[in-house]
Amino acid sequence: MRALRISPDATVTDLNLPVADAHSAIRECIGSPDSVDQGTYHRRAVLHIQGDGLTLGLRQNLAAWALASAWRGTALYPLAGPVVVTGRTASGDVTTLDDDLVQHAQAVAQTVRANVAQWRTRPPASNEAAIKELLAYAARDVASSR
């Protein structure tokens, strides 16, 4: 089953999860031995998140946050640590991720990497300005790859 792993450094890795034991493989990819939170920000996708990632001190995952925010159409709460993105059936089961959603994730991650690199030499005026900038670009990336 095709899925993606989005790392806190905005690297996107293709995954081929076993259908029979996808949840166990997801826990391993995220580094959470016990449980994984699931966020549905798009009707055909699920983000599998280590729910206590911020508490554990994991790095924020701007790419996953920007993708989820663009899909939802609003700025969401911070996400931390690696995130696995899978497809979602109409009944809520985990399935392979559709190609158009893969394109969304890859485009948003590339935008986040480019912006973060640019911010090192030209910092944004404020955190609020940075958030607005990322959300605008992520929304554009999702809309243009539909």
Side-chain angles (χ1 to χ4, degrees):
M1 162 180 16
R2 186 175 191 189
L4 297 175
R5 181 181 190 270
I6 305 174
S7 298
D9 68 357
T11 301
V12 177
T13 306
D14 268 298
L15 301 174
N16 186 13
L17 300 176
V19 175
D21 200 13
H23 292 286
S24 177
I26 290 167
R27 284 193 307 272
E28 185 176 320
C29 288
I30 292 175
S32 180
D34 299 323
S35 66
V36 173
D37 290 348
Q38 295 182 343
T40 305
Y41 307 103
H42 189 285
R43 63 182 169 77
R44 293 184 289 126
V46 176
L47 272 68
H48 305 268
I49 306 158
Q50 189 165 9
D52 56 355
L54 288 173
T55 304
L56 293 172
L58 299 179
R59 285 182 45 201
Q60 285 194 13
N61 192 325
L62 289 177
W65 168 82
L67 177 65
S69 295
W71 279 344
R72 185 54 66 90
T74 189
L76 298 171
Y77 46 84
L79 303 176
V83 171
V84 171
V85 185
T86 63
R88 178 180 181 273
T89 66
S91 62
D93 294 327
V94 172
T95 190
T96 194
L97 189 61
D98 292 336
D99 290 341
D100 62 328
L101 302 183
V102 169
Q103 291 174 355
H104 291 181
Q106 291 170 336
V108 169
Q110 174 58 40
T111 294
V112 169
R113 286 191 304 270
N115 276 277
V116 169
Q118 190 176 54
W119 290 343
R120 288 186 183 105
T121 58
R122 185 192 54 84
S126 65
N127 283 342
E128 184 177 293
I131 288 169
K132 285 182 179 181
E133 183 177 5
L134 272 184
L135 288 178
Y137 288 139
R140 175 207 62 199
D141 291 342
V142 167
S144 67
S145 61
R146 285 189 177 163

